[in-house]
Amino acid sequence: MNWTDLNLMPAMPEIVLLSALGIVLLVDLWTSDKNRYITHVLSLLALVAAAAAQWLVWVPQSVSTFSGMYIADGMSQLSKMVMYAATFALFVYAKPYNQVRDMFRGEFYTLTLFALSGMSVMVSAGHFLTAYIGLELLSLSLYAMIALRRDSADAAEAALKYFVLGALASGLLLYGISMVYGATGSLEFASVLANAYDGQANTWLLKLGLVFIVVAVAFKLGAVPFHMWVPDVYQGAPTSVAAFVGTVPKIAAVVFAFRILVTGLGTTVNDWTPMLAILAVASLLVGNLAAIMQSNIKRMLAYSTVSHMGFILLAFMAGAIGFTAGLYYAIAYVVMGLVGFGVLMLLSNEAFECEEISDLAGLNQRHAWYAFLMLLAMFSMAGIPPLMGFYAKFAVIKALLSQGFVWISVFAVVMSLIGAFYYLRVVKVMYFDKATHEQGIGSNTVAKVVLSVNALLLLLWGVMPQSVMEWCLRALENTL
């Protein structure tokens, strides 16, 4: 096939993003430290350009190109827009934090944009190899980002742990993919599904490959028992990096799981549903119970992430209505996580790192608005109405009940009640405890405004969730 026969328009967001990334790399090479704000501005413009390209080439139906290896559909387009917006907000929050820690360098921005490119490829993958390449581009960027602060032994240790375990997960994924190829004779999701439906696949070999693939997906989501890297990475990495690792890649991982399990291995739904149920129940139990025992708020958020991923895995058990609820939950989690980490970054300064729950003591007396924003994030994560997190959990439980999963729904509700304890403990510390020490609070106006809008979206989309749910519903209708 001649290269001129390729339809490049569906992939225009990735082309624009990579072109902008090349410009950022070249400009940063000739930029002095005192003019590093140029890299910051160019990175923000790169995200705006990629989002604009996505908006301009938005298609109402599924389109594939590169011989079926790349797919542009509702789910990929929606998830990319969310990732671009979330990364834009993260760059704004991270700027004052990175400046006082000698991390305000081009590497932070270029590695983040490389990771974003990998996630864009992941969510648009129509082929196992495309998905794997996107995953590896994301993973390699994250390994370097976690160790970005060279003078931190904790960051280096967290990066090494994540690298070793991530390499193991990648090997398991490749092994599972090779079995799928041996069973079906193809690596394209549509062909794998068609061959399995037609009875042309080796059923047992396909199921064995499925086991390895589910393990790799569970690792990327941070589900129990493959969660051991999550708390160490959240605590060891700089807060600006932990904020990225803990939010944006999660929505990419959810769509990645959907691509593989539903559009590629949909014939094995009766096999992967029980596996996801076990992973979800274990994640809810371990995540919530372990979070109660944490005094470090970043480790607490890490274990709460594990429990949130359990909810998303439950959504996969409920069919089409569950996929819609799961996508909504992933978007809600990204918005909630950005607020929580954003407040921690803005409360930190050159001489103080806000990472213990006790560091938030008396925050309401020192800065009532930041305390209110953190309250919105904690209440939303706890599932308290009328915030976005409540409707996300409600949508998942409603989907489970519609499919007859009564006992699992009851278990999820009980775990949510247990989880509310450690979220409300943070609120109690902010509003009722006295400050143990005084520290200055950053006054970056732009970051404060963006963080305020981010937090108030939790309230707006919680009171009126129909708009976001409609986006998710249309994305799934366009995809399935």
Side-chain angles (χ1 to χ4, degrees):
M1 182 181 67
N2 195 304
W3 70 269
T4 57
D5 297 330
L6 288 175
N7 179 15
L8 297 178
M9 291 306 293
M12 193 54 62
E14 286 78 12
I15 295 173
V16 170
L17 181 61
L18 284 174
S19 301
L21 174 55
I23 294 172
V24 172
L25 275 169
L26 289 174
V27 172
D28 182 72
L29 183 64
W30 302 101
T31 302
S32 62
D33 285 343
K34 67 177 182 179
N35 294 323
R36 197 66 66 188
Y37 68 91
I38 297 175
T39 303
H40 173 75
V41 172
L42 285 177
S43 299
L44 293 177
L45 292 176
L47 294 172
V48 172
Q54 180 62 80
W55 182 266
L56 292 174
V57 300
W58 196 286
V59 291
Q61 69 283 337
S62 179
V63 176
S64 65
T65 186
F66 298 102
S67 300
M69 299 186 76
Y70 180 97
I71 297 173
D73 55 17
M75 178 170 278
S76 66
Q77 293 170 141
L78 175 61
S79 58
K80 285 178 197 175
M81 294 297 277
V82 173
M83 291 189 296
Y84 297 151
T87 307
F88 186 97
L90 176 73
F91 281 168
V92 174
Y93 304 157
K95 181 174 179 283
Y97 178 89
N98 288 344
Q99 282 179 317
V100 298
R101 281 166 178 75
D102 196 29
M103 289 176 54
F104 191 53
R105 300 176 178 274
E107 290 90 338
F108 175 80
Y109 294 98
T110 53
L111 286 171
T112 303
L113 293 176
F114 270 121
L116 188 60
S117 301
M119 289 185 282
S120 298
V121 173
M122 283 171 62
V123 300
S124 287
H127 194 281
F128 274 104
L129 289 185
T130 311
Y132 180 77
I133 289 171
L135 178 64
E136 286 305 293
L137 180 55
L138 167 64
S139 299
L140 292 173
S141 302
L142 293 184
Y143 301 150
M145 286 181 69
I146 294 168
L148 201 55
R149 193 171 182 185
R150 301 183 184 93
D151 59 344
S152 173
D154 290 339
E157 180 184 354
L160 185 59
K161 287 180 180 178
Y162 189 33
F163 172 74
V164 172
L165 294 173
L168 176 61
S170 296
L172 293 174
L173 178 61
L174 272 181
Y175 196 45
I177 290 173
S178 67
M179 291 183 179
V180 170
Y181 180 76
T184 63
S186 177
L187 288 177
E188 186 180 348
F189 294 151
S191 298
V192 169
L193 190 66
N195 291 344
Y197 267 125
D198 293 341
Q200 300 178 15
N202 184 321
T203 305
W204 287 106
L205 186 59
L206 184 63
K207 291 180 179 179
L208 187 59
L210 172 69
V211 173
F212 287 96
I213 289 172
V214 168
V215 168
V217 168
F219 175 87
K220 294 305 176 184
L221 286 172
V224 174
F226 311 103
H227 69 294
M228 61 287 290
W229 62 272
V230 180
D232 290 335
V233 167
Y234 277 46
Q235 183 180 8
T239 305
S240 56
V241 176
F244 181 75
V245 175
T247 54
V248 188
K250 298 304 180 186
I251 191 168
V254 170
V255 179
F256 175 77
F258 176 86
R259 294 283 186 209
I260 292 180
L261 297 179
V262 179
T263 62
L265 300 173
T267 56
T268 60
V269 61
N270 293 328
D271 298 300
W272 55 255
T273 297
M275 289 193 283
L276 295 190
I278 295 172
L279 292 172
V281 169
S283 298
L284 286 169
L285 183 64
V286 174
N288 283 307
L289 294 181
I292 292 175
M293 299 181 286
Q294 305 305 316
S295 59
N296 183 291
I297 192 167
K298 287 164 69 175
R299 287 188 75 89
M300 188 205 81
L301 289 174
Y303 282 110
S304 78
T305 297
V306 173
S307 67
H308 287 301
M309 293 305 105
F311 256 100
I312 291 176
L313 289 175
L314 287 180
F316 273 75
M317 299 166 53
I321 186 174
F323 302 145
T324 305
L327 184 57
Y328 180 91
Y329 200 112
I331 294 173
Y333 173 76
V334 170
V335 179
M336 295 185 296
L338 282 173
V339 176
F341 280 107
V343 171
L344 295 183
M345 280 188 277
L346 295 184
L347 292 180
S348 300
N349 55 43
E350 186 174 2
F352 173 74
E353 181 79 26
C354 184
E355 60 179 4
E356 297 292 327
I357 295 177
S358 59
D359 294 335
L360 297 172
L363 181 60
N364 183 55
Q365 288 74 44
R366 293 183 285 118
H367 202 299
W369 183 245
Y370 281 164
F372 176 67
L373 298 184
M374 184 60 102
L375 178 144
L376 289 179
M378 294 296 104
F379 275 12
S380 185
M381 288 185 180
I384 296 176
L387 294 164
M388 194 177 184
F390 165 76
Y391 191 81
K393 293 186 177 183
F394 173 76
V396 171
I397 292 171
K398 181 181 177 182
L400 288 171
L401 290 174
S402 69
Q403 300 299 312
F405 295 106
V406 177
W407 288 109
I408 290 183
S409 301
V410 172
F411 177 79
V413 171
V414 172
M415 289 297 105
S416 294
L417 293 175
I418 293 175
F421 171 80
Y422 54 84
Y423 294 122
L424 295 178
R425 180 179 61 180
V426 175
V427 176
K428 175 256 182 188
V429 168
M430 291 191 300
Y431 280 85
F432 300 106
D433 287 10
K434 291 184 178 180
T436 55
H437 55 272
E438 291 293 330
Q439 77 268 2
I441 294 179
S443 58
N444 188 292
T445 304
V446 176
K448 184 177 179 180
V449 170
V450 175
L451 181 63
S452 301
V453 173
N454 187 351
L456 292 176
L457 283 177
L458 292 174
L459 187 58
L460 176 64
W461 284 341
V463 175
M464 296 184 294
Q466 295 81 5
S467 57
V468 182
M469 186 58 79
E470 183 66 23
W471 297 345
C472 298
L473 186 60
R474 289 182 180 179
L476 264 296
E477 288 176 349
N478 182 287
T479 302
L480 292 173

